[in-house]
Amino acid sequence: MIDYSGLRNKMVDEQIIKKGIKDERVINAMRKIPRHLFVNEALAHRAYGDYPLPIIESQTISQPYMVGFMTEMLDTAKTHKILEIGTGSGYQTVILAELADKVYTIERYNTLVVKAREIFNKLNYNNIVMKTGDGSLGWKEFAPFDRIIVTAGAPVIPEKLINQLNPNGKMIIPVGDYHLQKLMFIEKNDEKISIKELSGCMFVPLVGKYGWNQ
Ligand code: SAH
């Protein structure tokens, strides 16, 4: 078996810390999680590069820096219940599972859900609950959530998601057109909502009732 810890530490030093991520909890989680397991074996040697990579169903695993940045913005605590929309490879899911109490994650493609579940089991994460479905609706049964992260680009912020955020919750979501978006950061302070626009980004589309048609 190839030892990827050298490449992984290099990724964290050069792409995460050097680019401004400061949260030690995020940094440590990224040093720990074997990112190469979340891509096809043929791409494993590129898993620690500074770019997104293709996964099945024409989807992508996000660039490491994007995962670090979004996770830092979420400001998670070990007590938190988190909703993630767009499980994809499951890499971001496991980073969150490291940092929070429980992660609820929704993915459109059952093929991706099956693959991700295998990895979660292999790595012994018992605090991830998943389902195949349309995450633009949120997950009412388990709401409200302390934090919500959407890792697919939406045309607008789905109102259902804001409703499922707890009264002091935070949410991060890419919003824009089909190919190009801006990361939006939503904070509730005693139910009062504020929305901040962060950096530009490129995510695959959020396809669903409160997302794109396809
Ligand atoms: N965080 C993931 C990102 C995967 S790409 C990773 O780094 O691996 C975004 C994912 O969102 C894709 O797998 C896509 O199938 C999924 N997706 C798109 N629309 C969705 C929806 N309405 N509900 C759930 N998942 C959705």
PDB file of all heavy atoms in Angstrom, residues 59-62 84-90 92 106-109 112 133-136 151-152 204-208, ligand 1:
ATOM      1  N   GLN A  59     -19.726  14.083 -11.721  1.00  0.00           N
ATOM      2  CA  GLN A  59     -19.672  15.021 -10.610  1.00  0.00           C
ATOM      3  C   GLN A  59     -18.196  15.248 -10.236  1.00  0.00           C
ATOM      4  O   GLN A  59     -17.307  14.696 -10.889  1.00  0.00           O
ATOM      5  CB  GLN A  59     -20.489  14.493  -9.434  1.00  0.00           C
ATOM      6  CG  GLN A  59     -21.926  14.149  -9.804  1.00  0.00           C
ATOM      7  CD  GLN A  59     -22.684  15.335 -10.395  1.00  0.00           C
ATOM      8  OE1 GLN A  59     -22.623  16.445  -9.880  1.00  0.00           O
ATOM      9  NE2 GLN A  59     -23.381  15.102 -11.511  1.00  0.00           N
ATOM     10  N   THR A  60     -17.953  16.067  -9.217  1.00  0.00           N
ATOM     11  CA  THR A  60     -16.564  16.359  -8.844  1.00  0.00           C
ATOM     12  C   THR A  60     -16.366  16.318  -7.329  1.00  0.00           C
ATOM     13  O   THR A  60     -17.290  16.593  -6.571  1.00  0.00           O
ATOM     14  CB  THR A  60     -16.128  17.767  -9.325  1.00  0.00           C
ATOM     15  OG1 THR A  60     -17.089  18.718  -8.860  1.00  0.00           O
ATOM     16  CG2 THR A  60     -16.024  17.846 -10.825  1.00  0.00           C
ATOM     17  N   ILE A  61     -15.164  15.970  -6.929  1.00  0.00           N
ATOM     18  CA  ILE A  61     -14.751  16.149  -5.534  1.00  0.00           C
ATOM     19  C   ILE A  61     -14.117  17.537  -5.487  1.00  0.00           C
ATOM     20  O   ILE A  61     -13.296  17.878  -6.341  1.00  0.00           O
ATOM     21  CB  ILE A  61     -13.773  15.041  -5.070  1.00  0.00           C
ATOM     22  CG1 ILE A  61     -13.246  15.315  -3.647  1.00  0.00           C
ATOM     23  CG2 ILE A  61     -12.616  14.828  -6.025  1.00  0.00           C
ATOM     24  CD1 ILE A  61     -12.425  14.145  -3.055  1.00  0.00           C
ATOM     25  N   SER A  62     -14.537  18.354  -4.533  1.00  0.00           N
ATOM     26  CA  SER A  62     -14.087  19.744  -4.482  1.00  0.00           C
ATOM     27  C   SER A  62     -12.584  19.840  -4.228  1.00  0.00           C
ATOM     28  O   SER A  62     -11.980  18.958  -3.627  1.00  0.00           O
ATOM     29  CB  SER A  62     -14.836  20.504  -3.387  1.00  0.00           C
ATOM     30  OG  SER A  62     -16.212  20.484  -3.643  1.00  0.00           O
ATOM     31  N   GLU A  84     -25.602  18.320   5.243  1.00  0.00           N
ATOM     32  CA  GLU A  84     -24.798  18.537   4.044  1.00  0.00           C
ATOM     33  C   GLU A  84     -25.618  18.132   2.822  1.00  0.00           C
ATOM     34  O   GLU A  84     -26.214  17.050   2.810  1.00  0.00           O
ATOM     35  CB  GLU A  84     -23.527  17.683   4.088  1.00  0.00           C
ATOM     36  CG  GLU A  84     -22.693  17.829   2.824  1.00  0.00           C
ATOM     37  CD  GLU A  84     -21.587  16.784   2.684  1.00  0.00           C
ATOM     38  OE1 GLU A  84     -21.844  15.601   2.982  1.00  0.00           O
ATOM     39  OE2 GLU A  84     -20.484  17.149   2.272  1.00  0.00           O
ATOM     40  N   ILE A  85     -25.611  18.975   1.813  1.00  0.00           N
ATOM     41  CA  ILE A  85     -26.330  18.641   0.580  1.00  0.00           C
ATOM     42  C   ILE A  85     -25.329  18.494  -0.555  1.00  0.00           C
ATOM     43  O   ILE A  85     -24.572  19.421  -0.841  1.00  0.00           O
ATOM     44  CB  ILE A  85     -27.400  19.698   0.294  1.00  0.00           C
ATOM     45  CG1 ILE A  85     -28.460  19.556   1.390  1.00  0.00           C
ATOM     46  CG2 ILE A  85     -28.047  19.469  -1.070  1.00  0.00           C
ATOM     47  CD1 ILE A  85     -29.100  20.802   1.760  1.00  0.00           C
ATOM     48  N   GLY A  86     -25.323  17.309  -1.168  1.00  0.00           N
ATOM     49  CA  GLY A  86     -24.343  16.991  -2.206  1.00  0.00           C
ATOM     50  C   GLY A  86     -23.186  16.193  -1.640  1.00  0.00           C
ATOM     51  O   GLY A  86     -22.052  16.653  -1.595  1.00  0.00           O
ATOM     52  N   THR A  87     -23.485  14.972  -1.210  1.00  0.00           N
ATOM     53  CA  THR A  87     -22.453  14.107  -0.600  1.00  0.00           C
ATOM     54  C   THR A  87     -21.287  13.872  -1.560  1.00  0.00           C
ATOM     55  O   THR A  87     -20.127  13.910  -1.133  1.00  0.00           O
ATOM     56  CB  THR A  87     -23.048  12.716  -0.260  1.00  0.00           C
ATOM     57  OG1 THR A  87     -24.332  12.894   0.322  1.00  0.00           O
ATOM     58  CG2 THR A  87     -22.128  11.928   0.658  1.00  0.00           C
ATOM     59  N   GLY A  88     -21.591  13.631  -2.816  1.00  0.00           N
ATOM     60  CA  GLY A  88     -20.556  13.365  -3.814  1.00  0.00           C
ATOM     61  C   GLY A  88     -19.643  12.241  -3.380  1.00  0.00           C
ATOM     62  O   GLY A  88     -20.097  11.131  -3.085  1.00  0.00           O
ATOM     63  N   SER A  89     -18.349  12.517  -3.310  1.00  0.00           N
ATOM     64  CA  SER A  89     -17.367  11.503  -2.914  1.00  0.00           C
ATOM     65  C   SER A  89     -17.473  11.142  -1.433  1.00  0.00           C
ATOM     66  O   SER A  89     -17.034  10.073  -1.018  1.00  0.00           O
ATOM     67  CB  SER A  89     -15.960  12.041  -3.172  1.00  0.00           C
ATOM     68  OG  SER A  89     -15.697  13.134  -2.304  1.00  0.00           O
ATOM     69  N   GLY A  90     -17.997  12.069  -0.627  1.00  0.00           N
ATOM     70  CA  GLY A  90     -18.067  11.845   0.823  1.00  0.00           C
ATOM     71  C   GLY A  90     -16.881  12.427   1.589  1.00  0.00           C
ATOM     72  O   GLY A  90     -16.832  12.336   2.810  1.00  0.00           O
ATOM     73  N   GLN A  92     -15.915  15.695   2.032  1.00  0.00           N
ATOM     74  CA  GLN A  92     -16.353  16.795   2.907  1.00  0.00           C
ATOM     75  C   GLN A  92     -17.186  16.246   4.079  1.00  0.00           C
ATOM     76  O   GLN A  92     -17.078  16.737   5.207  1.00  0.00           O
ATOM     77  CB  GLN A  92     -17.163  17.792   2.065  1.00  0.00           C
ATOM     78  CG  GLN A  92     -17.890  18.870   2.846  1.00  0.00           C
ATOM     79  CD  GLN A  92     -16.996  20.022   3.248  1.00  0.00           C
ATOM     80  OE1 GLN A  92     -16.600  20.832   2.431  1.00  0.00           O
ATOM     81  NE2 GLN A  92     -16.673  20.100   4.534  1.00  0.00           N
ATOM     82  N   ILE A 106     -27.232  14.358   2.098  1.00  0.00           N
ATOM     83  CA  ILE A 106     -28.165  13.948   1.036  1.00  0.00           C
ATOM     84  C   ILE A 106     -27.462  14.035  -0.314  1.00  0.00           C
ATOM     85  O   ILE A 106     -26.791  15.027  -0.608  1.00  0.00           O
ATOM     86  CB  ILE A 106     -29.416  14.862   1.008  1.00  0.00           C
ATOM     87  CG1 ILE A 106     -30.025  14.992   2.407  1.00  0.00           C
ATOM     88  CG2 ILE A 106     -30.453  14.322   0.018  1.00  0.00           C
ATOM     89  CD1 ILE A 106     -31.202  15.969   2.494  1.00  0.00           C
ATOM     90  N   GLU A 107     -27.634  13.002  -1.106  1.00  0.00           N
ATOM     91  CA  GLU A 107     -27.048  12.959  -2.448  1.00  0.00           C
ATOM     92  C   GLU A 107     -28.107  12.464  -3.434  1.00  0.00           C
ATOM     93  O   GLU A 107     -28.866  11.562  -3.142  1.00  0.00           O
ATOM     94  CB  GLU A 107     -25.818  12.038  -2.437  1.00  0.00           C
ATOM     95  CG  GLU A 107     -25.261  11.623  -3.782  1.00  0.00           C
ATOM     96  CD  GLU A 107     -24.858  12.784  -4.684  1.00  0.00           C
ATOM     97  OE1 GLU A 107     -24.118  13.673  -4.222  1.00  0.00           O
ATOM     98  OE2 GLU A 107     -25.304  12.800  -5.847  1.00  0.00           O
ATOM     99  N   ARG A 108     -28.113  13.072  -4.603  1.00  0.00           N
ATOM    100  CA  ARG A 108     -29.068  12.742  -5.669  1.00  0.00           C
ATOM    101  C   ARG A 108     -28.855  11.372  -6.280  1.00  0.00           C
ATOM    102  O   ARG A 108     -29.786  10.703  -6.686  1.00  0.00           O
ATOM    103  CB  ARG A 108     -28.795  13.752  -6.775  1.00  0.00           C
ATOM    104  CG  ARG A 108     -29.881  14.525  -7.246  1.00  0.00           C
ATOM    105  CD  ARG A 108     -29.367  15.423  -8.352  1.00  0.00           C
ATOM    106  NE  ARG A 108     -30.040  15.044  -9.555  1.00  0.00           N
ATOM    107  CZ  ARG A 108     -29.504  15.079 -10.760  1.00  0.00           C
ATOM    108  NH1 ARG A 108     -28.258  15.463 -10.918  1.00  0.00           N
ATOM    109  NH2 ARG A 108     -30.211  14.709 -11.787  1.00  0.00           N
ATOM    110  N   TYR A 109     -27.581  10.992  -6.445  1.00  0.00           N
ATOM    111  CA  TYR A 109     -27.267   9.739  -7.129  1.00  0.00           C
ATOM    112  C   TYR A 109     -27.036   8.615  -6.122  1.00  0.00           C
ATOM    113  O   TYR A 109     -26.107   8.689  -5.307  1.00  0.00           O
ATOM    114  CB  TYR A 109     -26.009   9.891  -7.988  1.00  0.00           C
ATOM    115  CG  TYR A 109     -26.213  10.722  -9.224  1.00  0.00           C
ATOM    116  CD1 TYR A 109     -25.752  12.026  -9.267  1.00  0.00           C
ATOM    117  CD2 TYR A 109     -26.865  10.195 -10.337  1.00  0.00           C
ATOM    118  CE1 TYR A 109     -25.931  12.803 -10.413  1.00  0.00           C
ATOM    119  CE2 TYR A 109     -27.053  10.966 -11.473  1.00  0.00           C
ATOM    120  CZ  TYR A 109     -26.581  12.264 -11.506  1.00  0.00           C
ATOM    121  OH  TYR A 109     -26.765  13.019 -12.632  1.00  0.00           O
ATOM    122  N   LEU A 112     -23.488   7.164  -5.922  1.00  0.00           N
ATOM    123  CA  LEU A 112     -22.537   7.890  -5.085  1.00  0.00           C
ATOM    124  C   LEU A 112     -22.780   7.602  -3.604  1.00  0.00           C
ATOM    125  O   LEU A 112     -21.835   7.476  -2.818  1.00  0.00           O
ATOM    126  CB  LEU A 112     -22.619   9.395  -5.365  1.00  0.00           C
ATOM    127  CG  LEU A 112     -21.926   9.851  -6.656  1.00  0.00           C
ATOM    128  CD1 LEU A 112     -22.372  11.243  -7.063  1.00  0.00           C
ATOM    129  CD2 LEU A 112     -20.410   9.812  -6.489  1.00  0.00           C
ATOM    130  N   GLY A 133     -31.640  11.446  -2.436  1.00  0.00           N
ATOM    131  CA  GLY A 133     -32.825  12.271  -2.627  1.00  0.00           C
ATOM    132  C   GLY A 133     -32.485  13.685  -3.037  1.00  0.00           C
ATOM    133  O   GLY A 133     -31.332  13.988  -3.339  1.00  0.00           O
ATOM    134  N   ASP A 134     -33.514  14.530  -3.012  1.00  0.00           N
ATOM    135  CA  ASP A 134     -33.354  15.927  -3.396  1.00  0.00           C
ATOM    136  C   ASP A 134     -33.082  16.787  -2.158  1.00  0.00           C
ATOM    137  O   ASP A 134     -33.992  17.110  -1.399  1.00  0.00           O
ATOM    138  CB  ASP A 134     -34.623  16.401  -4.119  1.00  0.00           C
ATOM    139  CG  ASP A 134     -34.538  17.865  -4.502  1.00  0.00           C
ATOM    140  OD1 ASP A 134     -33.473  18.488  -4.297  1.00  0.00           O
ATOM    141  OD2 ASP A 134     -35.555  18.399  -5.002  1.00  0.00           O
ATOM    142  N   GLY A 135     -31.836  17.168  -2.010  1.00  0.00           N
ATOM    143  CA  GLY A 135     -31.439  17.947  -0.842  1.00  0.00           C
ATOM    144  C   GLY A 135     -31.910  19.391  -0.857  1.00  0.00           C
ATOM    145  O   GLY A 135     -31.832  20.071   0.160  1.00  0.00           O
ATOM    146  N   SER A 136     -32.413  19.867  -2.012  1.00  0.00           N
ATOM    147  CA  SER A 136     -32.877  21.262  -2.028  1.00  0.00           C
ATOM    148  C   SER A 136     -34.102  21.444  -1.126  1.00  0.00           C
ATOM    149  O   SER A 136     -34.479  22.562  -0.779  1.00  0.00           O
ATOM    150  CB  SER A 136     -33.159  21.728  -3.456  1.00  0.00           C
ATOM    151  OG  SER A 136     -34.348  21.170  -3.968  1.00  0.00           O
ATOM    152  N   THR A 151     -22.922  21.801  -1.298  1.00  0.00           N
ATOM    153  CA  THR A 151     -21.717  21.731  -2.137  1.00  0.00           C
ATOM    154  C   THR A 151     -22.070  21.542  -3.608  1.00  0.00           C
ATOM    155  O   THR A 151     -21.351  20.900  -4.359  1.00  0.00           O
ATOM    156  CB  THR A 151     -20.749  20.629  -1.656  1.00  0.00           C
ATOM    157  OG1 THR A 151     -21.398  19.365  -1.754  1.00  0.00           O
ATOM    158  CG2 THR A 151     -20.314  20.856  -0.231  1.00  0.00           C
ATOM    159  N   ALA A 152     -23.194  22.141  -4.010  1.00  0.00           N
ATOM    160  CA  ALA A 152     -23.580  22.211  -5.419  1.00  0.00           C
ATOM    161  C   ALA A 152     -24.180  23.601  -5.625  1.00  0.00           C
ATOM    162  O   ALA A 152     -24.740  24.192  -4.692  1.00  0.00           O
ATOM    163  CB  ALA A 152     -24.591  21.114  -5.753  1.00  0.00           C
ATOM    164  N   VAL A 204     -20.679  22.047  -9.472  1.00  0.00           N
ATOM    165  CA  VAL A 204     -21.680  21.416 -10.337  1.00  0.00           C
ATOM    166  C   VAL A 204     -23.055  21.873  -9.843  1.00  0.00           C
ATOM    167  O   VAL A 204     -23.211  22.275  -8.693  1.00  0.00           O
ATOM    168  CB  VAL A 204     -21.573  19.863 -10.306  1.00  0.00           C
ATOM    169  CG1 VAL A 204     -20.249  19.389 -10.867  1.00  0.00           C
ATOM    170  CG2 VAL A 204     -21.790  19.312  -8.907  1.00  0.00           C
ATOM    171  N   PRO A 205     -24.068  21.867 -10.732  1.00  0.00           N
ATOM    172  CA  PRO A 205     -25.370  22.417 -10.354  1.00  0.00           C
ATOM    173  C   PRO A 205     -26.116  21.602  -9.296  1.00  0.00           C
ATOM    174  O   PRO A 205     -26.021  20.371  -9.259  1.00  0.00           O
ATOM    175  CB  PRO A 205     -26.147  22.412 -11.671  1.00  0.00           C
ATOM    176  CG  PRO A 205     -25.444  21.445 -12.552  1.00  0.00           C
ATOM    177  CD  PRO A 205     -24.013  21.450 -12.144  1.00  0.00           C
ATOM    178  N   LEU A 206     -26.834  22.316  -8.445  1.00  0.00           N
ATOM    179  CA  LEU A 206     -27.790  21.704  -7.531  1.00  0.00           C
ATOM    180  C   LEU A 206     -29.054  21.449  -8.344  1.00  0.00           C
ATOM    181  O   LEU A 206     -29.712  22.383  -8.806  1.00  0.00           O
ATOM    182  CB  LEU A 206     -28.100  22.663  -6.367  1.00  0.00           C
ATOM    183  CG  LEU A 206     -29.099  22.164  -5.338  1.00  0.00           C
ATOM    184  CD1 LEU A 206     -28.429  21.191  -4.359  1.00  0.00           C
ATOM    185  CD2 LEU A 206     -29.719  23.322  -4.545  1.00  0.00           C
ATOM    186  N   VAL A 207     -29.365  20.183  -8.556  1.00  0.00           N
ATOM    187  CA  VAL A 207     -30.514  19.825  -9.395  1.00  0.00           C
ATOM    188  C   VAL A 207     -31.638  19.334  -8.494  1.00  0.00           C
ATOM    189  O   VAL A 207     -31.472  18.354  -7.770  1.00  0.00           O
ATOM    190  CB  VAL A 207     -30.122  18.720 -10.413  1.00  0.00           C
ATOM    191  CG1 VAL A 207     -31.332  18.288 -11.218  1.00  0.00           C
ATOM    192  CG2 VAL A 207     -29.014  19.225 -11.330  1.00  0.00           C
ATOM    193  N   GLY A 208     -32.760  20.047  -8.526  1.00  0.00           N
ATOM    194  CA  GLY A 208     -33.867  19.639  -7.660  1.00  0.00           C
ATOM    195  C   GLY A 208     -34.972  20.675  -7.662  1.00  0.00           C
ATOM    196  O   GLY A 208     -34.900  21.671  -8.381  1.00  0.00           O
TER     197      GLY A 208
HETATM  198  N1  SAH B   1     -18.651  17.677  -1.377  1.00  0.00           N
HETATM  199  C1  SAH B   1     -18.638  16.813  -2.518  1.00  0.00           C
HETATM  200  C2  SAH B   1     -19.115  17.583  -3.744  1.00  0.00           C
HETATM  201  C3  SAH B   1     -19.630  16.706  -4.795  1.00  0.00           C
HETATM  202  S1  SAH B   1     -20.216  17.581  -6.203  1.00  0.00           S
HETATM  203  C4  SAH B   1     -17.241  16.297  -2.752  1.00  0.00           C
HETATM  204  O1  SAH B   1     -16.301  17.061  -2.521  1.00  0.00           O
HETATM  205  O2  SAH B   1     -17.077  15.149  -3.161  1.00  0.00           O
HETATM  206  C5  SAH B   1     -21.859  17.968  -5.716  1.00  0.00           C
HETATM  207  C6  SAH B   1     -22.798  16.823  -5.522  1.00  0.00           C
HETATM  208  O3  SAH B   1     -24.097  17.348  -5.344  1.00  0.00           O
HETATM  209  C7  SAH B   1     -22.890  15.865  -6.700  1.00  0.00           C
HETATM  210  O4  SAH B   1     -22.549  14.579  -6.282  1.00  0.00           O
HETATM  211  C8  SAH B   1     -24.363  15.958  -7.127  1.00  0.00           C
HETATM  212  O5  SAH B   1     -24.890  14.736  -7.568  1.00  0.00           O
HETATM  213  C9  SAH B   1     -25.017  16.418  -5.853  1.00  0.00           C
HETATM  214  N2  SAH B   1     -26.321  17.072  -6.002  1.00  0.00           N
HETATM  215  C10 SAH B   1     -26.727  17.938  -6.971  1.00  0.00           C
HETATM  216  N3  SAH B   1     -27.993  18.329  -6.749  1.00  0.00           N
HETATM  217  C11 SAH B   1     -28.411  17.708  -5.611  1.00  0.00           C
HETATM  218  C12 SAH B   1     -29.621  17.708  -4.851  1.00  0.00           C
HETATM  219  N4  SAH B   1     -30.695  18.441  -5.205  1.00  0.00           N
HETATM  220  N5  SAH B   1     -29.687  16.948  -3.740  1.00  0.00           N
HETATM  221  C13 SAH B   1     -28.624  16.205  -3.357  1.00  0.00           C
HETATM  222  N6  SAH B   1     -27.459  16.154  -4.026  1.00  0.00           N
HETATM  223  C14 SAH B   1     -27.339  16.900  -5.137  1.00  0.00           C
END
